[in-house]
Amino acid sequence: MTRLRIATRKSPLALWQTEHVAARLQQAHPGLAIELVPLSTRGDEILDRSLAAIGGKGLFLKELELAILRSEADCAVHSLKDVPMQLEPGFALGAILPRHDPADAFVSPRFADLAALPAGARVGTSSLRRQAQLRALRPDLELRDLRGNVNTRLARLDAGDYDAIVLACAGLERLGLGARVRSRLSAPDWLPAPAQGAIAIECRADDAATLALCAALDDPPTRACVEAERAMNRALHGSCHVPVAALATLHGTRLQLQGLVGSADDGRQVRAQAEGAADAPEALGQAVAQALLAQGARALLDVG
């Protein structure tokens, strides 16, 4: 194969990620011609309702997967945190690139961190996971929905619609906006979405040529971590409908996984963590999921 067509969403962050993947592929395979296939998805178009209300993060993938099935593209680049825990039949993740900072970012023009916000301050995020952790740490805040791409969200913050917003550190830094991060919301006090900060390439499972090209970019340590996080979420049947957070870290041949299930309504949460072999991430994810369920996570997962 001398030409590779990559489907991508049209947002600035999605295009940055796809161009990054394209550059890495061309480094690994000199002479490879790459064509970007920008597409609009329902998740990008419907901005007046939360993702949970319109069907979840999978709405960012569907059009890209259809383009692959119609042979209009050979693969697609995604933020792995947006990829459903169970891929559609016939698809595979050909590569998971080295993970960027997985932490969330507290962004505010006036306040240095979450603790500095006054009672009743308006914080923007439409992530139920972020809302649940904000409720647990600062039940006095007013949480407001916030959708749109990174620049749209920052513009609404700067216009005074919010006192602070929460975004992913990775997205801001990839767009050259790292200076907007006032403080990092990080483990163990705050956990990210499963696979946050990781970029993945999705291909047809039977497309050996494309899978072989993509394999050059796969990062085994990142894959082990995110597979543990995704396995935990899968065992909980988690989605963007429920607030689930996870972070795995690699220590030699051992993986440590922290997991959280919370309530976006009242801040209740259960936490669990465990350690396991790095070559058995699925088992570790399932173990932490079972520990969360044993503490009562099902009652939080079944809300709504």
Side-chain angles (χ1 to χ4, degrees):
M1 180 184 288
T2 56
R3 181 178 73 127
L4 187 72
R5 298 161 302 164
I6 308 178
T8 176
R9 292 163 57 198
K10 295 179 179 179
S11 75
L13 181 56
L15 289 169
W16 185 97
Q17 292 176 164
T18 305
E19 288 164 359
H20 173 71
V21 166
R24 292 282 311 277
L25 283 168
Q26 287 175 319
Q27 286 176 350
H29 307 289
L32 177 67
I34 293 180
E35 175 190 342
L36 268 53
V37 183
L39 299 167
S40 182
T41 72
R42 285 196 70 218
D44 295 306
E45 292 164 0
I46 303 174
L47 299 177
D48 59 345
R49 284 171 283 165
S50 70
L51 283 175
I54 61 174
K57 291 181 176 180
L59 291 175
F60 289 130
L61 276 75
K62 199 66 186 171
E63 282 81 0
L64 278 60
E65 290 177 337
L66 288 172
I68 296 172
L69 290 176
R70 291 193 298 256
S71 296
E72 295 165 5
D74 303 299
C75 60
V77 171
H78 308 298
S79 291
L80 187 51
K81 72 171 184 175
D82 293 337
V83 176
M85 298 306 116
Q86 201 72 50
L87 293 180
E88 289 291 321
F91 288 97
L93 297 181
I96 299 173
L97 278 67
R99 190 180 210 168
H100 201 87
D101 187 347
D104 276 331
F106 175 86
V107 183
S108 174
R110 296 173 52 207
F111 302 101
D113 54 30
L114 190 57
L117 287 173
R122 301 156 302 157
V123 180
T125 174
S126 42
S127 158
L128 295 180
R129 171 189 60 83
R130 289 170 177 158
Q131 289 176 10
Q133 294 185 86
L134 286 166
R135 289 250 186 261
L137 293 168
R138 289 292 307 271
D140 58 301
L141 298 175
E142 180 187 338
L143 305 187
R144 295 186 175 183
D145 272 343
L146 176 63
R147 293 280 316 281
N149 65 42
V150 171
N151 288 316
T152 298
R153 297 184 195 200
L154 289 172
R156 292 192 63 188
L157 172 68
D158 294 339
D161 293 353
Y162 307 90
D163 297 300
I165 62 175
V166 181
L167 299 170
C169 285
L172 288 166
E173 290 168 0
R174 286 169 178 154
L175 290 172
L177 297 168
R180 296 301 303 261
V181 180
R182 291 298 297 269
S183 62
R184 292 172 72 255
L185 298 165
S186 56
D189 300 322
W190 183 286
L191 296 182
Q196 184 160 303
I199 296 171
I201 310 175
E202 185 181 24
C203 317
R204 280 202 339 268
D206 62 357
D207 185 350
T210 299
L211 287 168
L213 286 172
C214 295
L217 303 193
D218 195 59
D219 184 58
T222 296
R223 185 178 280 269
C225 289
V226 300
E227 283 186 350
E229 296 164 15
R230 285 169 59 80
M232 185 204 89
N233 202 11
R234 192 160 48 244
L236 293 169
H237 304 291
S239 68
C240 74
H241 294 268
V242 291
V244 174
L247 181 65
T249 50
L250 184 63
H251 307 275
T253 60
R254 305 291 288 175
L255 269 181
Q256 184 184 69
L257 175 63
Q258 304 172 71
L260 176 155
V261 176
S263 166
D265 293 327
D266 58 20
R268 287 178 299 149
Q269 59 180 230
V270 293
R271 289 172 172 262
Q273 66 177 43
E275 188 179 297
D279 60 1
E282 184 83 22
L284 178 59
Q286 290 177 0
V288 172
Q290 290 307 312
L292 289 165
L293 291 169
Q295 293 183 59
R298 178 56 58 201
L300 301 177
L301 291 166
D302 288 343
V303 171

